[in-house]
Amino acid sequence: MTDSLLSVQLYTVREALQADLPGALSRLADLGFTQVEAFNIMGLEGLGAALADAGLTTPTAHERFVALEQEPIFERAASLGVRTLIDPHIANERWQTADGVKSIVDDLAAAAEKAAEFGLKVGYHNHAFEFETKVDGRSSYELFAELLPASVSLELDTYWVSVGGADPVALLGELGSKVVALHIKDGAITHDDKDQVAVGSGRMPVREIIAAAPAALRVIELDDSRGDRFQAVADSVAFLKAEGLA
């Protein structure tokens, strides 16, 4: 990882990547990024070369690996220089009971052991439903985090935490060093992806979130937006730099 803690989830500019992968990555480098968070690493052809040509690294990346054949996935991640591979979604039906949550933890722990053979760590990225689903009077995510071994890291999507009804700042205080990366996004705090906006333009307590996890990677992301997402990324970078947060 570089000295910078600033990154961007490539899913934000997925259409541009599909149209012109080298060009899209070059545009991100021109915004000052030295690292990005890749997604679909098994399907995005030419990613490694395009990253190298743009002078970018991908210390974290998203790819589903739980309950899948993991060796080729981990091999691909390692070849791209990924350090922490993050599973971006585990089906919500598995979060409905304590036994289901325990099975998720067991799967991630086993994956961490396998990933270590490739020099990788693994992590999990949340959505809102892990907080909305209750098990024995508390959120499934709370139980999950309590059971999670040190070998598995967390990437906290702070926006979806808020949509799910939890306080991301307080949660970061509880999770501590388990959180290695943050999804920094902003908006009206609704389930509608289109309500997401440039960081600093919505309702999220961005400064407080970063202060609560100052060593975590700060990954800008918009799942969608009513405006141009490349412009939203540029505006997000400008805000974070103006605030001394990037």
Side-chain angles (χ1 to χ4, degrees):
M1 193 179 293
T2 68
D3 290 337
S4 173
L5 289 174
L6 188 64
S7 184
V8 59
Q9 168 54 247
L10 292 183
Y11 183 76
T12 304
V13 293
R14 54 196 175 274
E15 297 90 350
L17 290 175
Q18 188 171 23
D20 179 6
L21 176 60
L25 294 179
S26 179
R27 287 178 68 185
L28 291 173
D30 288 345
L31 291 177
F33 289 102
T34 58
Q35 56 199 358
V36 298
E37 184 171 82
F39 76 104
N40 187 28
I41 64 171
M42 299 302 288
L44 201 55
E45 294 184 11
L47 178 60
L51 286 169
D53 287 347
L56 297 169
T57 62
T58 180
T60 59
H62 279 200
E63 184 72 52
R64 291 190 183 185
F65 56 80
V66 169
L68 296 174
E69 185 184 354
Q70 293 172 351
E71 186 163 325
I73 298 170
F74 293 158
E75 194 171 69
R76 170 66 168 161
S79 74
L80 291 170
V82 174
R83 298 190 180 183
T84 302
L85 186 65
I86 298 162
D87 194 306
H89 183 272
I90 295 175
N92 60 3
E93 57 263 24
R94 296 192 64 187
W95 297 84
Q96 302 303 310
T97 66
D99 285 345
V101 174
K102 175 65 163 57
S103 73
I104 291 169
V105 170
D106 289 344
D107 283 351
L108 285 166
E113 187 174 343
K114 181 67 176 177
E117 299 174 14
F118 296 84
L120 294 171
K121 295 183 178 180
V122 300
Y124 180 69
H125 162 276
N126 64 281
H127 291 273
F129 65 80
E130 299 96 333
F131 296 89
E132 294 167 329
T133 304
K134 305 299 179 184
V135 175
D136 299 329
R138 57 179 176 163
S139 76
S140 295
Y141 195 89
E142 184 179 351
L143 174 61
F144 168 73
E146 180 182 284
L147 296 173
L148 204 65
S151 59
V152 181
S153 299
L154 294 173
E155 176 175 64
L156 200 70
D157 190 310
T158 57
Y159 189 80
W160 290 125
V161 171
S162 296
V163 172
D167 178 349
V169 176
L171 182 60
L172 286 167
E174 296 167 9
L175 295 175
S177 61
K178 286 184 178 181
V179 178
V180 300
L182 303 169
H183 269 193
I184 300 294
K185 60 177 68 167
D186 213 339
I189 312 183
T190 72
H191 283 90
D192 188 348
D193 291 352
K194 289 281 190 181
D195 285 341
Q196 295 173 25
V197 297
V199 176
S201 300
R203 295 176 51 206
M204 291 294 291
V206 177
R207 300 170 192 82
E208 292 84 352
I209 284 168
I210 291 175
L217 194 64
R218 301 157 194 181
V219 186
I220 295 168
E221 184 189 41
L222 293 93
D223 297 294
D224 208 341
S225 181
R226 290 183 175 83
D228 179 83
R229 277 181 261 118
F230 241 116
Q231 185 59 52
V233 171
D235 292 344
S236 298
V237 172
F239 169 79
L240 292 172
K241 287 185 175 179
E243 294 292 321
L245 302 174

